[in-house]
Amino acid sequence: MIAIVDYEAGNIKSVTNALERLDVEFTLTADPDAIRKADKVVLPGVGNAAAAMASLRAKGLEPVIRSLRQPVLGICVGMQLMCRRSEEGGVACMDIFDCEVKRFAPEPGIKVPHMGWNTLGNISGKLFKGLPASPYVYFVHSYYAGLCPDTVATCRHGSTMFSAALKYENFYGTQFHPEKSGTIGETILKNFIAL
Amino acid sequence: MVAKRIIPCLDVKGGQVVKGINFEGLREVGDAVEMGVRYSEEGADELVYLDISASKEDRSTFTELVERIALGINIPFTVGGGISSLDDAARLLDRGADKISVNSAAIASPRLISDIADRYGSQFVVCAIDAKCLNGIWRVTTHGGSRLTERELFSWAKEAQERGAGEILFTSMDHDGTKAGYACEQYAMLEEMLSIPVIASGGAGSVADIVDVLTRGRADAALAASIFHYDEISIPALKGALTAAGVPVRAVL
């Protein structure tokens, strides 16, 4: 059973739909026991990082998530909340991944939000098993996690190279949306489910 | 580098995809969900579904359809047609739409753009603009091109961006349905003046037209309907041609 953390952080329909398409059992929950007992945990998130972090804390879920030992996947803002802190609202996050989240600086020729299909580079680890070297995945974000020892996939937007995916022990995070990334995204979700 | 996007557009009435020429006369071309799944499998980067029905009953059918589309496809999709309030937008977000597009209602009440963008983010709001050239001025139209407004394309696009629209989808009513190519010069001008992505729509008749609007026209995405619906162009062949022309596109696997 996969637990999707339900903490009122934007639209999570795309994540539940993707798991339905893959025909896996899941439950949408904010109950600490249900989250602790799940085989895998998905932390989705869309919107403002500070608001999402406040909502997670209000539900008492920060210590629960940090204490998990099963595979955990943070998606988009869900991943950012697993970093040290975010410039968006200047909020301290869960400090699982060893990097900070910053806003893309304006520069000629690039658009913010970074929205659309872009390629991954330097992919490594089980999450990307069976994929070509530079697969296209779907991004929608204005803030990014910098490169760090936990980076397991990179992406470039303008002159900024950032972490497209992070991994530390049992914690995984993707800045892109695997649930919207076609068959490549489905492979990544299947790889997570198979961990 | 962000890839240029290929976006099939599906006009929906009563759950069926229909296609008309210059918004007059409709033909049914297939089931909305099945066609979306097929396009996503063929390598479409995104889909746009437009509700062109008029009745209230059809509107609720469309809302249910959005839920089935969201469950059926694994790429982003935009829904539009008749969205006139924050509630309309919220209802479609709830059913799984990745973005919504506003058109006539935003012209009547430009605040609609800021209201939706402030609540759900700019990435959720596409401002669709239908315009035609009269005496050298690109006039914005509503109701499928049948009503002229006092607004002008470029100033309205700029205002929409300032109000928080995340993308501009400009359809040239002079080119739509002609299959004679896109309004490339106007897209290049929009690209020059805007910082948000521009989606080109209206006039696609060949692979060369799409290559043209994504290079000379500098558009971020090309939208088309009939050339995809009637298999005049296959998406894999189109992407092959774009790659050969040096346009960054997502490879079809």
Side-chain angles (χ1 to χ4, degrees):
Chain A
M1 176 69 80
I2 295 177
I4 301 174
V5 181
D6 184 11
Y7 66 115
E8 289 144 30
N11 184 23
I12 46 163
K13 191 94 180 178
S14 62
V15 175
T16 61
N17 279 340
L19 294 181
E20 278 198 35
R21 281 195 296 277
L22 294 176
D23 209 15
V24 287
E25 274 192 70
F26 64 87
T27 176
L28 192 58
T29 182
D31 174 41
D33 277 344
I35 293 170
R36 283 192 201 99
K37 281 180 191 148
D39 303 316
K40 312 258 157 51
V41 175
V42 176
L43 183 68
V46 180
N48 182 287
M53 198 61 225
S55 174
L56 202 63
R57 289 200 171 111
K59 290 184 185 297
L61 293 177
E62 182 184 7
V64 177
I65 290 167
R66 290 182 54 147
S67 70
L68 296 175
R69 286 292 161 258
Q70 64 272 53
V72 180
L73 176 64
I75 298 174
C76 196
V77 170
M79 178 207 84
Q80 295 179 356
L81 299 189
M82 288 152 73
C83 296
R84 269 205 311 268
R85 57 181 293 108
S86 173
E87 213 174 79
E88 188 175 23
V91 66
C93 297
M94 284 190 278
D95 199 13
I96 294 166
F97 300 129
D98 192 18
C99 56
E100 300 205 349
V101 176
K102 294 180 173 156
R103 188 174 169 90
F104 282 111
E107 65 178 274
I110 76 154
K111 292 175 179 180
V112 178
H114 172 226
M115 179 170 65
W117 298 84
N118 204 338
T119 48
L120 299 179
N122 307 301
I123 56 175
S124 69
K126 288 179 181 169
L127 215 51
F128 302 106
K129 203 178 136 201
L131 294 183
S134 310
Y136 270 103
V137 292
Y138 188 75
F139 291 89
V140 186
H141 61 123
S142 299
Y143 292 78
Y144 67 92
L147 300 179
C148 67
D150 303 329
T151 304
V152 290
T154 61
C155 183
R156 177 182 286 281
H157 186 43
S159 63
T160 305
M161 188 86 116
F162 63 92
S163 290
L166 293 158
K167 177 191 181 291
Y168 177 75
E169 294 181 345
N170 55 315
F171 293 93
Y172 298 77
T174 63
Q175 179 59 68
F176 55 91
H177 290 270
E179 77 280 13
K180 285 286 163 186
S181 295
T183 50
I184 296 283
E186 281 177 2
T187 302
I188 292 167
L189 288 174
K190 280 183 198 162
N191 286 341
F192 173 73
I193 291 160
L195 285 171
Chain B
M1 185 188 255
V2 181
K4 302 268 186 178
R5 289 169 280 158
I6 299 302
I7 309 178
C9 178
L10 302 95
D11 289 348
V12 177
K13 194 172 187 180
Q16 290 289 304
V17 177
V18 295
K19 178 62 192 169
I21 305 293
N22 287 38
F23 289 90
E24 291 162 24
L26 297 174
R27 232 190 301 180
E28 286 193 359
V29 290
D31 175 78
V33 180
E34 282 172 23
M35 284 184 70
V37 169
R38 202 187 77 213
Y39 285 136
S40 60
E41 285 170 355
E42 286 174 354
D45 299 305
E46 203 170 309
L47 299 171
V48 169
Y49 283 92
L50 290 180
D51 178 15
I52 62 158
S53 58
S55 71
K56 263 194 174 150
E57 295 73 32
D58 279 357
R59 287 248 185 274
S60 64
T61 307
F62 185 74
T63 307
E64 285 158 29
L65 181 65
V66 169
E67 190 149 35
R68 289 202 293 126
I69 294 164
L71 187 56
I73 66 169
N74 56 17
I75 57 171
F77 71 103
T78 301
V79 297
I83 295 166
S84 59
S85 67
L86 190 60
D87 281 353
D88 288 343
R91 184 169 40 85
L92 293 165
L93 176 87
D94 225 39
R95 300 296 176 114
D98 296 290
K99 310 176 193 180
I100 52 96
S101 79
V102 292
N103 192 334
S104 305
I107 293 164
S109 170
R111 251 197 66 183
L112 180 63
I113 296 173
S114 9
D115 286 350
I116 301 174
D118 289 349
R119 182 74 183 80
Y120 299 113
S122 287
Q123 85 292 334
F124 185 59
V125 191
V126 179
C127 181
I129 305 176
D130 300 337
K132 60 170 124 188
C133 189
L134 284 175
N135 303 320
I137 295 169
W138 281 86
R139 297 274 297 274
V140 177
T141 66
T142 61
H143 301 81
S146 64
R147 287 189 210 169
L148 273 182
T149 71
E150 290 307 309
R151 288 189 177 271
E152 184 269 336
L153 167 65
F154 298 100
S155 55
W156 174 229
K158 186 87 183 163
E159 181 178 339
Q161 171 179 292
E162 280 159 9
R163 286 182 177 276
E167 286 177 286
I168 298 291
L169 194 180
F170 160 49
T171 302
S172 162
M173 302 313 286
D174 292 343
H175 295 71
D176 195 41
T178 64
K179 298 198 176 185
Y182 291 88
C184 285
E185 284 168 33
Q186 282 65 45
Y187 292 111
M189 288 168 73
L190 286 169
E191 278 293 333
E192 188 64 38
M193 59 179 282
L194 299 175
S195 60
I196 57 177
V198 176
I199 304 167
S201 156
S206 66
V207 166
D209 291 339
I210 295 177
V211 172
D212 203 29
V213 79
L214 296 178
T215 52
R216 192 166 61 90
R218 298 171 53 197
D220 296 282
L223 177 144
S226 54
I227 55 162
F228 296 132
H229 300 341
Y230 299 130
D231 293 323
E232 289 164 31
I233 292 181
S234 84
I235 295 172
L238 171 60
K239 290 205 158 175
L242 287 164
T243 303
V247 178
V249 288
R250 181 174 69 110
V252 182
L253 292 175

